[in-house]
Amino acid sequence: MIQSLYYVPSYDEELIYNAVCNFMEDQEIAKDLRPDLKVVIKPNLVMAKSPQFPATTHPLVIKAVARWLKEHHVTDIILAESSGGLYNAEYMKNIYHVCGMKELEPELKLNMDFTARTVHCPDGFMNHSFHMITPVCDADYIINICKLKTHAMTGYSGGIKNLFGTIPGLEKPQMHYRFPDIEDFSRMLLELAQTAAPDLTIIDAIDAMEGNGPTGGTSHPLHLLFASRDLYTQDWFAAGIMGLVPQNIVMLRQALEAGLAKPDALTLAGDPIPDNLTPFQVPDTKRLDFSSTLPAFLQKPFMRIAGRLLKSYPQLNAELCVGCGKCAESCPAHIIKFKNRKAHFQKKGCISCFCCQEMCPMKAISVRKALSFFSRDKS
């Protein structure tokens, strides 16, 4: 498995394009192409955020990839994504505008087909099928371009997690509700990634996010672009670059156990790993989760006993809340109500998926770190 890694000091169009040319050569992507190829670029557009904020894929990375494809005689290029929230024309037009995607036309087309189709999974999967956005289903070739981030629920967000955006709109909270346990949710993500089967995955880590990602964290620039055909091994590698322990990220451990991630087979191409890297700050949800430091055979029994005691819940800063309703819209358990234009949470029924924190545009939702048994909050 060839892992391309290139140093890119800033979001400069020509510097990014040079890196794209290099890693496309490393990965021998030109061999896959033909003029009538229908290519879908799947970015991370989790919410309407300016490209200056490290929550979404930067448009200049996408532009460089589209430019390279067109120079290799591929002209049918569609950008397709289902963001958090609704999946319709009005909502996505705003996402495209705020995230800087409108500026990419006419280099590529912005998807305006908001239908979805059922795609059946291989035998033996936990999921028999997925309901996926139509452009991904129709694509001949999928280029997955994600943003490198820590994540409140999964711990890490890269190529695998980015493909959750192939599930349409508010069906994503329903998936959280179906799979509230991190083991099951992570297995679902792996099966979805295998079903979507992107041909190339690029990680935008020129600027990345640490802390309460995927939207509430802060900037942690790495000045790097990653690219690989093998998104599972690449995610393992990228998590290590962040200073995380890949084995402690459930989806990465499962990928290793399933033989999808093969870190021992990795060959690095491009630039060397920088020697001045600093560890990423982990989300608040992970700060008291010390179960991963226990021997593997003790982790599950420990969590069964201590799970309630250590469970984390969302907590509202009422002064920042503007009553927009995005948290309630994204809550799979429907436990968020509004009183006097302020959100109110109840612990009963909360599955601690932190979709509410992810979709809050005001960063008004934080994590109340565990020890709920001793909490004074009786809600």
Side-chain angles (χ1 to χ4, degrees):
M1 172 264 182
I2 297 175
Q3 173 62 63
S4 297
L5 182 71
Y6 285 93
Y7 175 75
V8 182
S10 65
Y11 285 108
D12 177 272
E13 185 171 345
E14 290 305 313
L15 294 177
I16 295 170
Y17 178 70
N18 289 338
V20 168
C21 290
N22 287 331
F23 65 60
M24 291 297 197
E25 183 175 354
D26 296 340
Q27 303 295 326
E28 299 185 327
I29 300 301
K31 292 181 178 180
D32 299 344
L33 306 182
R34 62 179 192 270
D36 64 340
L37 199 69
K38 183 181 291 186
V39 176
V40 164
I41 293 177
K42 165 63 181 77
N44 183 329
L45 305 180
V46 61
M47 68 188 307
K49 284 285 188 182
S50 163
Q52 306 306 315
F53 188 74
T56 57
T57 307
H58 199 284
L60 288 180
V61 178
I62 299 169
K63 185 177 182 179
V65 171
R67 174 180 165 186
W68 185 90
L69 288 169
K70 293 185 83 168
E71 289 178 354
H72 286 75
H73 312 295
V74 175
T75 57
D76 191 351
I77 309 168
I78 300 174
L79 182 142
E81 162 76 319
S82 172
S83 303
L86 301 175
Y87 186 56
N88 59 32
E90 182 180 4
Y91 190 87
M92 289 305 302
K93 282 180 180 178
N94 182 59
I95 292 283
Y96 293 151
H97 173 70
V98 175
C99 295
M101 300 298 128
K102 284 291 292 180
E103 299 172 10
L104 300 180
E105 295 178 309
E107 295 295 322
L108 49 71
K109 292 177 284 187
L110 302 178
N111 174 52
M112 295 302 292
D113 176 359
F114 301 107
T115 61
R117 295 214 304 267
T118 298
V119 178
H120 294 284
C121 299
D123 291 341
F125 276 22
M126 175 179 66
N127 295 272
H128 299 297
S129 64
F130 287 106
H131 201 222
M132 301 172 69
I133 62 176
T134 297
V136 167
C137 300
D138 289 343
D140 298 319
Y141 205 84
I142 298 172
I143 300 180
N144 181 28
I145 310 183
C146 60
K147 191 74 166 179
L148 190 65
K149 298 183 278 189
T150 51
H151 192 283
M153 182 182 185
T154 60
Y156 165 85
S157 181
I160 299 168
K161 181 65 173 64
N162 193 46
L163 294 168
F164 195 42
T166 63
I167 303 295
L170 297 178
E171 292 183 31
K172 288 190 285 294
Q174 295 174 24
M175 299 293 279
H176 278 285
Y177 198 69
R178 281 180 59 196
F179 304 109
D181 181 80
I182 186 62
E183 293 282 339
D184 293 337
F185 187 78
S186 298
R187 187 169 294 107
M188 179 275 295
L189 290 177
L190 283 181
E191 292 184 356
L192 177 60
Q194 292 172 82
T195 304
D199 298 275
L200 176 68
T201 295
I202 299 164
I203 300 179
D204 172 11
I206 298 172
D207 193 8
M209 179 179 283
E210 66 179 354
N212 292 325
T215 61
T218 54
S219 170
H220 189 131
L222 287 180
H223 309 294
L224 296 173
L225 285 176
F226 301 72
S228 179
R229 292 177 179 266
D230 178 354
L231 77 163
Y232 310 101
T233 305
Q234 177 167 257
D235 272 355
W236 184 283
F237 174 72
I241 291 287
M242 297 167 78
L244 305 176
V245 179
Q247 187 74 29
N248 292 342
I249 306 297
V250 176
M251 63 181 159
L252 299 184
R253 171 178 55 76
Q254 291 178 347
L256 183 72
E257 292 169 349
L260 296 168
K262 302 173 182 177
D264 292 341
L266 183 147
T267 300
L268 192 63
D271 294 325
I273 299 172
D275 57 10
N276 59 344
L277 297 173
T278 57
F280 276 51
Q281 179 183 341
V282 299
D284 290 340
T285 49
K286 304 299 177 184
R287 289 176 183 265
L288 285 183
D289 181 9
F290 52 84
S291 62
S292 60
T293 64
L294 297 172
F297 72 94
L298 290 177
Q299 288 181 19
K300 287 187 178 180
F302 173 82
M303 290 310 297
R304 279 198 294 268
I305 296 170
R308 184 179 177 187
L309 196 66
L310 296 178
K311 189 174 181 180
S312 297
Y313 294 93
Q315 179 169 281
L316 183 77
N317 182 335
E319 293 182 0
L320 295 178
C321 179
V322 296
C324 68
K326 293 295 183 184
C327 56
E329 178 184 82
S330 65
C331 177
H334 305 293
I335 61 155
I336 303 174
K337 309 299 180 184
F338 281 81
K339 300 176 184 177
N340 301 320
R341 294 186 58 83
K342 300 292 182 182
H344 288 260
F345 299 79
Q346 61 182 34
K347 286 191 294 186
K348 185 177 180 180
C350 177
I351 63 172
S352 298
C353 65
F354 298 100
C355 292
C356 55
Q357 183 195 48
E358 178 176 334
M359 295 311 300
C360 177
M362 305 306 295
K363 292 190 179 183
I365 301 171
S366 59
V367 176
R368 183 173 58 205
K369 292 186 289 185
L371 301 181
S372 59
F373 182 82
F374 296 105
S375 174
R376 298 178 185 176
D377 185 356
K378 304 300 182 182
S379 61

